[in-house]
Amino acid sequence: MKKISVLLLLLIPLVMQAQHRFTISGSLKDAKNGEDLIGATVGVQGGTSGTTTNAYGFYSLTLPAGKYTLVYSYIGYTTQTRQIDLKENSTLNLELAGSDVHLQEVVVKTKKEDANIQQNRMSADVLPIETIKTLPAFMGEVDVLKTIQLLPGVQSGGEGTSGFYVRGGSIDQNLIQLDEAPVYNASHLLGFFSVFNADAIKDVEIYKGGIPAEYGGRLASLVDIRMKEGNSKRFGASGGIGTIASRLTLEGPIVKDKGSYIISGRRTYADMFLKLSSDENIKNNKLYFYDLNTKLNYKFGDKDRLFISGYFGQDVFKFKEVMGMDWGNATATVRWNHLFSDKLFSNFTAIYSNFNYQVGMPSGNTAFSWKSNIEDVSLKADFSYFPNNANTLKFGISSTYHTFKPGEVKPASDNSVVKELLLDRKYALENAVYLSNEQELSPRLSLTYGLRYSFFQNIGGRVYDYDETGQQIVGVVDYERTHIYKTQGGLEPRLSARFILDGSSSLKASYNRTMQYLHLASNATSTTPLDVYVPSGKYIRPQSANQVALGYFHNFRSNTLEASAEVYYKSMNNQIDFRDNADLMFNNNIEAEILAGTGKAYGLELMVKKQTGQLTGWASYTLSHTERTIEGINNNQPYRVRQDKPHNLSLVLSYKLSERLTLGANQVYSSGNVVTMPSGSFRNGNIIVPIYTERNGYRLRDYHRLDLSLTLNGKKRPGRKYESSWNFSLFNAYGRKNVFSIQLDQTEEIPASINAKEISIVGAPIPAVTYNFKF
């Protein structure tokens, strides 16, 4: 008995040690520039335990006490392994070195081969900026928003627009954020370019469904764009001189390996060439845009890091003394990362966002100026808790104060007949709390489930009362500036699941409910700088959507080819549209022009992707249908909306001809836009007046286009830090005249008839040349 007792006493510490679990945590960075590696994989060699880094490169892995070989990997980087003897909580920070072209086979192996199968996420894509830069671009300007329009389920808003539709949602139902700050109008030059300078961007992530609980405020999608942190190792500069614009980026360490900065600017210079004209009418015109991105970050210790980022961009257009217009965005984000423990990561954020525009006529008896803007100030607190390897808890709270200034009209000259007008300003609070958990139930089955509660509060200002028709004002109430007169909100459950069928395929499913409290007041066929956002309130209810999706994912040929098929169904409530012939300009009572109803969208999305080898790219096809049913529109019958494009096909290819030459090609095809055409007409004097019956009852010709590019890299010389390349691009290579809109005219030959004329924005191939450099 004594021997047994002694043996038990000796075994107790070993048993206790076997039961002890410890956490190893840290961060992963790029060895070349110190940038955080987002989504890198950390796993145990020969085991199933593993995790990925978050948006700030942080990871946390909890294991039983013992000896392990940890594997750190990231696509395009050389895998590293570390031997550890885990006896206590530990910190291990690593830097991964990028794989060069001679290590192509290594690149294939460093990527987690079954990431698209294993990850508990669907209806989402990540586009590294280096991938985006290899694709053909309009006028040589790399455009992140144009690139995501090549993905399944994402449709272009039209030729020359940065607006896009996602799974039947309207343009304003996409949340576009830059370092967590919302960007309300992401277009330059009336939509031909987006506001995002690719030289300042790290990566782009889009969610079409299965949206995480920490995000909300829009129905259709989230586009999360992250700026680079800047090189914390050494000073560097990069830029480009193109056909229409030039760019310059400067970055470097504040203190080596502790802090860094990046400043990136871009400007078009068409206006500079106009000044060379001898014609005064041309010389005095203006047409240009500019962007400025800046970001600072500093690590105060092992547990604290501060980020400060900002964006400012503006478009300026002036046509002689006839009219002028300018618009732009300004954002600022301050983030503080704090590590409470090796299992609890936090991020506290303050955000400012402003979109403004001004339009006017500087001379004449109708001279006027019109200013408008929307301004947000937000505070957020987000937490990630890693209790064990099977669970990742996320929770947080956010609040946004909205200020809406729909319009301020003033006469611009002494003899102007325009009267001063100040449209009512509106104020509101948008708040949310959320909790979610990602749980591995078994090696084959995992779930991500969460709940978000959001609510919207209208504060102060003037509110009108209307009669039963909703159009005649019968009273006015003025609330004090701090008085909350309307609160609306609701629960937004989120759920996604993944089941692994075998080593090369898996099934995924998701459900999410989303709510939207801001609405775009526009009846134009595309987004314009003059769009006005209106808040939910007494007469405008929040929009809501419920979406379910099911997907099958499969890898072919030793994981070099990835394939996916997804089906989705979305029901939408309180979808807004406008009465026929609604007047939205200088309208102080837009709510009287709004009608609300239901909508639905469903579709099939197919995609094949190849990310390694000489030939890379993807092919995607979307078959979909979208409709709305709103009482008072289209005789109360369902009707198609602008985003209803049944067929959408994209082929994106990049072929490495040699070490220096890369050929890129995009081929796109989609069904034409729907438009409302007259079903008849009547004569009013000498004027033929069209009669409209069916809303969006006519479809324009199908859209298709081919873009090409050729990139020639400069010769690499040992010890030389200067790199350069030439990019030659051809937009609309075969000169397709795609229809943008229809113009109705009364013909002189047959005065009793109306002629429909197709309008195209681009009808010929557009070449461009860009010289890029880096040192």
Side-chain angles (χ1 to χ4, degrees):
M1 288 293 295
K2 289 183 178 180
K3 290 182 179 180
I4 294 175
S5 299
V6 172
L7 182 61
L8 288 174
L9 289 173
L10 292 173
L11 289 175
I12 285 175
L14 297 176
V15 173
M16 291 181 64
Q17 185 181 29
Q19 293 175 339
H20 284 170
R21 300 176 67 86
F22 299 104
T23 299
I24 182 167
S25 61
S27 62
L28 294 185
K29 296 181 180 294
D30 187 312
K32 186 176 181 180
N33 54 35
E35 292 273 354
D36 297 326
L37 297 181
I38 303 172
T41 301
V42 183
V44 177
Q45 191 174 67
T48 58
S49 297
T51 188
T52 57
T53 57
N54 68 6
Y56 300 94
F58 175 80
Y59 74 92
S60 178
L61 187 63
T62 301
L63 301 166
K67 295 182 179 181
Y68 300 93
T69 299
L70 297 184
V71 181
Y72 296 83
S73 61
Y74 191 62
I75 185 170
Y77 289 75
T78 304
T79 297
Q80 289 195 30
T81 59
R82 287 292 186 273
Q83 306 285 338
I84 64 168
D85 187 2
L86 196 59
K87 298 179 179 179
E88 60 182 2
N89 294 335
S90 306
T91 300
L92 180 57
N93 301 319
L94 283 181
E95 295 182 342
L96 301 186
S99 301
D100 61 29
V101 294
H102 300 294
L103 298 176
Q104 185 62 45
E105 294 303 316
V106 177
V107 175
V108 176
K109 296 176 182 179
T110 61
K111 179 180 180 286
K112 188 177 180 181
E113 294 181 345
D114 55 358
N116 63 313
I117 296 172
Q118 292 281 352
Q119 289 179 347
N120 187 16
R121 52 177 282 167
M122 64 180 297
S123 307
D125 290 282
V126 177
L127 292 173
I129 197 64
E130 295 306 319
T131 298
I132 297 174
K133 287 183 176 180
T134 63
L135 305 181
F138 179 69
M139 299 298 290
E141 289 298 304
V142 177
D143 196 322
V144 299
L145 294 188
K146 292 292 197 305
T147 303
I148 68 172
Q149 295 171 23
L150 301 171
L151 298 173
V154 184
Q155 299 174 342
S156 170
E159 192 90 88
T161 68
S162 293
F164 56 93
Y165 307 115
V166 177
R167 289 187 171 177
S170 56
I171 288 176
D172 67 314
Q173 292 176 356
N174 304 310
L175 175 59
I176 303 174
Q177 59 181 30
L178 178 65
D179 273 1
E180 301 187 47
V183 179
Y184 282 96
N185 190 302
S187 299
H188 278 313
L189 288 185
L190 302 176
F192 279 97
F193 307 96
S194 77
V195 300
F196 304 110
N197 180 359
D199 290 350
I201 303 303
K202 177 188 291 187
D203 65 16
V204 181
E205 186 170 16
I206 179 172
Y207 288 90
K208 302 171 292 184
I211 300 174
E214 57 261 40
Y215 300 109
R218 300 294 188 275
L219 294 193
S221 75
L222 163 72
V223 180
D224 187 19
I225 301 174
R226 300 262 172 177
M227 288 174 54
K228 294 178 180 176
E229 274 84 46
N231 196 321
S232 63
K233 302 290 185 179
R234 61 187 65 83
F235 172 80
S238 61
I241 302 172
T243 305
I244 192 172
S246 290
R247 316 176 313 275
L248 179 64
T249 299
L250 304 175
E251 56 183 322
I254 299 173
V255 176
K256 188 175 181 180
D257 293 328
K258 292 192 68 176
S260 61
Y261 69 89
I262 182 171
I263 301 173
S264 184
R266 175 176 63 161
R267 192 190 191 281
T268 59
Y269 32 64
D271 60 308
M272 298 182 181
F273 293 105
L274 295 178
K275 292 179 180 179
L276 301 177
S277 174
S278 58
D279 189 332
E280 290 295 325
N281 291 327
I282 297 177
K283 187 175 183 179
N284 294 326
N285 292 338
K286 292 182 179 180
L287 178 61
Y288 66 91
F289 70 79
Y290 59 89
D291 299 301
L292 178 65
N293 295 76
T294 183
K295 190 171 186 178
L296 307 171
N297 81 91
Y298 192 82
K299 190 175 181 181
F300 290 94
D302 292 336
K303 295 186 176 182
D304 295 281
R305 191 177 180 188
L306 182 68
F307 299 83
I308 302 175
S309 59
Y311 166 80
F312 180 78
Q314 199 78 12
D315 281 70
V316 177
F317 169 69
K318 180 184 177 184
F319 180 62
K320 299 187 293 185
E321 295 299 319
V322 176
M323 72 168 295
M325 180 167 54
D326 62 83
W327 65 95
N329 296 273
T331 70
T333 306
V334 179
R335 288 175 290 182
W336 170 38
N337 290 172
H338 178 70
L339 194 62
F340 285 97
S341 70
D342 49 19
K343 292 187 176 184
L344 182 58
F345 179 90
S346 65
N347 181 51
F348 302 94
T349 310
I351 299 169
Y352 173 80
S353 176
N354 181 292
F355 168 64
N356 67 87
Y357 64 80
Q358 177 177 324
V359 62
M361 298 174 59
S363 61
N365 59 0
T366 58
F368 74 96
S369 68
W370 174 22
K371 297 180 181 179
S372 177
N373 81 310
I374 178 174
E375 182 179 82
D376 289 352
V377 178
S378 305
L379 294 175
K380 295 174 56 183
D382 300 286
F383 301 88
S384 298
Y385 180 61
F386 308 89
N388 50 57
N389 294 336
N391 294 273
T392 300
L393 284 167
K394 294 183 179 182
F395 54 95
I397 186 171
S398 65
S399 182
T400 300
Y401 183 73
H402 298 287
T403 302
F404 304 88
K405 300 177 182 177
E408 181 180 355
V409 182
K410 292 183 178 180
S413 66
D414 294 336
N415 62 340
S416 176
V417 298
V418 175
K419 295 182 180 180
E420 188 168 333
L421 173 64
L422 179 63
L423 300 183
D424 295 336
R425 296 183 178 184
K426 301 181 186 298
Y427 309 91
L429 272 175
E430 185 174 352
N431 311 288
V433 294
Y434 71 89
L435 172 66
S436 69
N437 184 35
E438 183 175 352
Q439 184 175 12
E440 288 280 346
L441 296 177
S442 73
R444 300 180 71 181
L445 178 63
S446 70
L447 296 175
T448 300
Y449 46 90
L451 185 64
R452 178 185 181 88
Y453 176 69
S454 61
F455 58 102
F456 192 82
Q457 299 173 303
N458 300 96
I459 305 175
R462 174 168 292 181
V463 179
Y464 297 90
D465 291 325
Y466 297 91
D467 63 6
E468 294 180 355
T469 67
Q471 292 185 281
Q472 296 297 321
I473 299 173
V474 296
V476 178
V477 180
D478 288 307
Y479 292 104
E480 293 183 1
R481 186 73 166 75
T482 58
H483 179 75
I484 298 175
Y485 65 85
K486 183 70 174 180
T487 299
Q488 303 179 80
L491 294 172
E492 303 177 47
R494 313 288 172 88
L495 174 66
S496 61
R498 178 226 64 202
F499 183 77
I500 297 178
L501 298 174
D502 51 44
S504 61
S505 59
S506 66
L507 282 176
K508 300 181 185 181
S510 69
Y511 163 76
N512 59 249
R513 176 177 171 82
T514 49
M515 299 190 70
Q516 180 167 331
Y517 301 96
L518 306 186
H519 319 276
L520 183 62
S522 173
N523 52 11
T525 57
S526 61
T527 56
T528 73
L530 307 184
D531 291 336
V532 175
Y533 280 86
V534 295
S536 297
K538 185 176 180 179
Y539 299 101
I540 305 176
R541 298 181 60 191
Q543 301 179 62
S544 63
N546 293 278
Q547 177 178 273
V548 292
L550 178 66
Y552 174 73
F553 297 79
H554 187 80
N555 287 354
F556 297 92
R557 297 180 58 188
S558 302
N559 300 303
T560 59
L561 279 178
E562 300 177 2
S564 64
E566 294 189 33
V567 291
Y568 68 90
Y569 180 87
K570 182 191 295 184
S571 63
M572 296 167 278
N573 296 313
N574 301 320
Q575 298 301 285
I576 69 169
D577 208 329
F578 298 92
R579 301 178 189 273
D580 293 334
N581 304 311
D583 182 12
L584 305 182
M585 294 286 287
F586 308 128
N587 191 338
N588 214 11
N589 308 101
I590 285 182
E591 61 268 21
E593 303 286 358
I594 290 176
L595 297 174
T598 61
K600 64 179 180 180
Y602 49 87
L604 165 69
E605 298 171 1
L606 304 175
M607 187 173 187
V608 178
K609 182 189 299 184
K610 187 175 185 293
Q611 299 189 86
T612 59
Q614 282 185 285
L615 178 65
T616 59
W618 67 84
S620 68
Y621 171 72
T622 304
L623 174 66
S624 62
H625 175 74
T626 305
E627 66 180 43
R628 300 282 191 271
T629 304
I630 298 178
E631 186 175 348
I633 297 178
N634 202 48
N635 296 318
N636 303 333
Q637 297 300 308
Y639 64 95
R640 296 175 296 186
V641 287
R642 292 186 302 231
Q643 53 268 41
D644 179 53
K645 299 181 180 181
H647 303 283
N648 202 298
L649 175 68
S650 297
L651 180 62
V652 181
L653 298 174
S654 177
Y655 186 74
K656 196 172 183 64
L657 298 169
S658 67
E659 291 298 319
R660 297 180 59 195
L661 277 176
T662 301
L663 178 66
N666 300 338
Q667 175 68 62
V668 295
Y669 166 86
S670 70
S671 302
N673 289 327
V674 292
V675 295
T676 301
M677 296 290 289
S679 58
S681 62
F682 66 92
R683 179 184 293 274
N684 183 7
N686 294 324
I687 300 176
I688 300 299
V689 180
I691 299 174
Y692 297 92
T693 53
E694 184 180 2
R695 175 75 69 96
N696 293 334
Y698 179 78
R699 188 177 296 280
L700 301 179
R701 289 188 291 115
D702 290 349
Y703 180 101
H704 54 86
R705 192 190 74 241
L706 172 67
D707 305 328
L708 300 171
S709 70
L710 181 67
T711 301
L712 173 63
N713 294 313
K715 292 183 179 180
K716 292 185 177 181
R717 295 182 175 87
R720 186 183 180 187
K721 296 182 179 180
Y722 185 85
E723 300 177 12
S724 64
S725 67
W726 286 94
N727 178 269
F728 306 90
S729 65
L730 187 63
F731 181 84
N732 193 24
Y734 51 76
R736 166 74 171 180
K737 290 186 178 181
N738 288 300
V739 183
F740 179 75
S741 63
I742 296 290
Q743 178 179 317
L744 301 178
D745 293 317
Q746 184 175 352
T747 62
E748 295 181 1
E749 295 82 4
I750 310 176
S753 67
I754 295 177
N755 180 48
K757 180 182 179 181
E758 295 181 340
I759 304 298
S760 300
I761 295 180
V762 178
I766 300 179
V769 180
T770 304
Y771 176 74
N772 299 298
F773 61 88
K774 182 179 181 180
F775 60 87

